[in-house]
Amino acid sequence: MSDAEAQFHVMAGEMAAARHQPLIAAREFLAALQAVDDASLAQRATGLALAGRDEDLALAAAQRWLQLEPNAMDAREVIARVALSHGDLTTASQQCQAIIEGHAGGIDEGFRIAAGILSQADMAQGDAALSVIRELAGRYPKNAGAAHAVALVALRFNQLDIAESASLQALALAPKSRDEKLLRVGVLVKRGKIDEADAAIDALVKKEEKADELRLAYAKLLLESNQREPARTQLQKILARTPNQPDAMFALGVMAANDQDADTAERYFTALLDGDRGEDAALQLGRLHESRGDYAGALDYYGRVQHGAQSLDAATRQSGVLAQMGRIDDARRLLAQLRDRFPQFATRFTLAESELLLNAQRYDDALTMLDGAVQDAPDNVDLLYSRSLVYERVGKIDAAEKDLRAALAADPDDARSLNALGYMLAVHTRRLDEAHDLVGRALTLDPNDAAIIDSMGWIEFKRGNTELASQLLKRAFAEFPDPEVAAHLGEVLWTLGRKDEARSVWDKALRDNPEHPMLKETVQRLTK
């Protein structure tokens, strides 16, 4: 390839990048790199390929980058992550070893990066990933960072005995280290030893100037472990020490909103409006007012959010509020303006518009819009999934299935598409074994998703496994008391002869969703 040809590819890549076509840009830059040695160009190609979610392209670009810049730790990290996602643990281990040995921040920082990479493995790869980090750490038996990394990966894959042992080893090697003490706290929380964790944090706080930050981090850890009341206690301790501390107030406001305590949530958020977290608070207040049906108030608060990622969320929510007010065309105009202003988020706004049109039963408009979007991005899983919902709603089951299979061809591990296709086959066809296999795969990928559990429960009911179906649907309903799940659970209970239980489930769901079509149809069909 001549220099002129290479320059042509660079120019074509720059044009594609300017048009927000990251994969085309990455391919053009990678073509140019066959003739030119430019590490910065390889770095850009890698970043663009990652932005476009093309792992093979990212791997090729990162490998070229590493050829040109052998000390590029970021390139090694990309190669390791892609290798791990492909199940190539040997390459991932080799790159992690190179990162540990060559990181400018030292061995401890290298182990932190390695632990982060290996923690990205699927749960099915957990044992292998843990084996890799333990083998790497074994080469540094007197290094606290190595033991720390083992504990982190063990925690990721719920190997709590290994995490316990490794965290104690790290603390023994660095007994004065704040990081190792915090790691011990994390292990204690995961093991449910909250009293011991509280005591450890209280002891640390006495020696810390930034006590509030430490308690905030601990509260976040507790929340991630679903220890809500201990987290609330920690946040309240922060406010007792530092009244009006904004992060603690915001967290307590979010907790109150999740607890359906709207008055308490509003009190916290309103107090934050004039401070650094004012726009975060305004977004939350908009959601509160929207949930109350105060659409004018919701629009006012959403309109106050003008900066950062939350501004896009607020603007999208404004379109939803306009739609709820019956102003569908105004909502569409707003989303069109957002697409023009932020073309890099065009798909996000298209999906929001599709949902509005679907809810408004404007199916032709939704299909027209999505047809154009899919034509521009034929492998976009989100767009294909969204169009399949519209096709199913208008009874075009073959077309819906085609879109979902195209989505799965692009991403075979998309649990949402697996679940949707399996459930659709169970509802609209007799292909129950195929439906069971699809939803089973989804459940393996996301075993705690209530919607997937509901699908499996309904499929088991269709297959005649009524008692198993009732167990699955009860679990789904406990996690997600949706009217459709209520319809399914009630029908299964009714079939089992537990009619009082069925009526109780339906009555509760109908109080909150009196016009839900599927729920109403189920109740009327079985009780008439």
Side-chain angles (χ1 to χ4, degrees):
M1 182 187 296
S2 67
D3 289 346
E5 289 175 312
Q7 189 59 38
F8 170 80
H9 284 298
V10 171
M11 291 177 61
E14 294 290 0
M15 292 174 63
R19 293 195 297 267
H20 304 286
Q21 297 174 313
L23 293 180
I24 294 175
R27 292 189 188 100
E28 294 292 347
F29 289 154
L30 196 55
L33 284 162
Q34 294 177 18
V36 299
D37 295 339
D38 186 337
S40 63
L41 189 63
Q43 181 179 4
R44 285 191 67 196
T46 303
L48 288 162
L50 290 173
R53 299 181 181 181
D54 188 327
E55 288 190 340
D56 291 335
L57 186 60
L59 179 61
Q63 288 170 333
R64 180 65 173 133
W65 179 11
L66 192 60
Q67 285 179 342
L68 298 170
E69 190 179 351
N71 294 324
M73 294 296 111
D74 288 346
R76 291 192 181 279
E77 185 174 347
V78 171
I79 295 169
R81 289 185 186 278
V82 174
L84 187 66
S85 75
H86 290 176
D88 183 359
L89 289 166
T90 299
T91 298
S93 177
Q94 291 169 348
Q95 294 302 326
C96 286
Q97 177 65 39
I99 289 169
I100 291 165
E101 292 179 349
H103 202 285
I107 289 174
D108 284 358
E109 182 63 15
F111 264 111
R112 186 188 68 80
I113 299 297
I117 292 168
L118 292 166
S119 293
Q120 297 299 312
D122 294 334
M123 291 301 292
Q125 293 179 299
D127 289 345
L130 189 53
S131 176
V132 169
I133 196 66
R134 294 179 81 181
E135 192 273 332
L136 292 170
R139 302 172 191 175
Y140 304 86
K142 296 183 179 180
N143 186 277
H148 190 112
V150 172
L152 289 178
V153 178
L155 284 174
R156 161 69 176 85
F157 296 108
N158 296 317
Q159 296 285 349
L160 299 185
D161 289 342
I162 295 173
E164 176 86 13
S165 175
S167 67
L168 287 171
Q169 180 186 356
L171 188 59
L173 290 166
K176 296 182 179 180
S177 168
R178 179 178 183 268
D179 287 344
E180 305 315 333
K181 291 176 182 177
L182 288 174
L183 176 64
R184 281 294 302 149
V185 170
V187 173
L188 289 169
V189 169
K190 286 290 186 181
R191 305 209 81 158
K193 298 179 179 180
I194 305 304
D195 290 342
E196 290 182 47
D198 284 349
I201 283 294
D202 288 341
L204 275 173
V205 163
K206 292 177 183 178
K207 303 174 184 179
E208 284 284 336
E209 293 182 7
K210 298 180 179 180
D212 290 347
E213 291 183 14
L214 190 59
R215 284 202 190 276
L216 277 170
Y218 179 48
K220 180 180 179 182
L221 177 62
L222 289 167
L223 287 170
E224 289 171 351
S225 300
N226 203 31
Q227 297 285 350
R228 289 173 53 79
E229 291 313 309
R232 198 190 311 272
T233 297
Q234 293 299 318
L235 294 168
Q236 289 168 342
K237 283 185 177 182
I238 293 170
L239 293 184
R241 180 180 183 272
T242 310
N244 301 320
Q245 205 284 339
D247 293 327
M249 291 179 68
F250 185 80
L252 285 166
V254 171
M255 291 183 72
N258 290 338
D259 293 338
Q260 308 298 316
D261 185 356
D263 292 340
T264 299
E266 185 166 17
R267 186 171 68 251
Y268 279 121
F269 294 139
T270 302
L272 292 168
L273 281 173
D274 295 328
D276 291 340
R277 301 214 61 171
E279 293 199 355
D280 293 333
L283 178 62
Q284 297 298 325
L285 285 165
R287 296 177 67 175
L288 282 176
H289 282 261
E290 182 181 349
S291 68
R292 293 170 176 164
D294 177 12
Y295 298 137
L299 289 174
D300 176 54
Y301 281 116
Y302 289 146
R304 301 188 195 191
V305 186
Q306 298 294 322
H307 303 92
Q310 67 263 40
S311 66
L312 298 180
D313 190 10
T316 304
R317 287 183 171 278
Q318 278 183 297
S319 69
V321 171
L322 288 169
Q324 290 182 76
M325 298 170 73
R327 297 165 57 184
I328 299 292
D329 291 332
D330 288 340
R332 298 188 72 185
R333 276 190 287 272
L334 174 58
L335 290 168
Q337 292 168 6
L338 290 169
R339 269 193 295 270
D340 290 340
R341 287 178 58 197
F342 305 104
Q344 66 271 39
F345 299 113
T347 297
R348 174 178 176 174
F349 302 129
T350 296
L351 293 170
E353 186 171 354
S354 169
E355 185 175 356
L356 297 181
L357 292 168
L358 185 63
N359 291 337
Q361 300 182 17
R362 290 173 56 168
Y363 306 128
D364 289 344
D365 288 340
L367 286 174
T368 298
M369 182 191 65
L370 287 168
D371 285 345
V374 170
Q375 186 174 1
D376 292 338
D379 295 326
N380 187 290
V381 173
D382 292 329
L383 292 172
L384 288 165
Y385 177 83
S386 186
R387 191 170 67 174
S388 77
L389 298 179
V390 185
Y391 277 139
E392 183 182 15
R393 191 71 64 87
V394 298
K396 295 183 177 181
I397 305 305
D398 289 344
E401 180 177 350
K402 183 179 178 181
D403 270 356
L404 288 171
R405 293 200 180 279
L408 289 170
D411 183 359
D413 291 331
D414 181 32
R416 176 189 53 176
S417 295
L418 286 166
N419 179 55
L421 180 55
Y423 181 71
M424 186 176 71
L425 293 179
V427 171
H428 297 287
T429 77
R430 296 182 179 180
R431 293 150 60 187
L432 294 178
D433 289 344
E434 186 178 358
H436 187 273
D437 289 345
L438 288 162
V439 176
R441 286 168 55 194
L443 205 53
T444 299
L445 291 164
D446 197 349
N448 297 315
D449 186 293
I452 301 175
I453 297 168
D454 169 62
S455 296
M456 185 58 83
W458 193 241
I459 291 169
E460 293 292 4
F461 176 59
K462 289 267 191 174
R463 297 173 89 196
N465 301 321
T466 312
E467 187 57 47
L468 176 57
S470 72
Q471 295 170 15
L472 289 165
L473 291 167
K474 279 188 173 182
R475 181 181 162 202
F477 191 65
E479 293 290 328
F480 183 50
D482 177 79
E484 188 165 335
V485 182
H488 287 160
L489 176 57
E491 181 158 352
V492 170
L493 292 171
W494 190 272
T495 302
L496 286 168
R498 292 149 63 179
K499 296 185 176 182
D500 289 341
E501 282 186 67
R503 290 183 190 277
S504 176
V505 170
W506 288 332
D507 289 345
K508 182 178 184 300
L510 284 168
R511 282 197 296 271
D512 297 329
N513 305 273
E515 299 303 320
H516 190 275
M518 180 180 177
L519 181 60
K520 287 175 64 178
E521 184 279 329
T522 300
V523 174
Q524 290 170 2
R525 170 168 50 84
L526 294 174
T527 61
K528 64 181 180 180

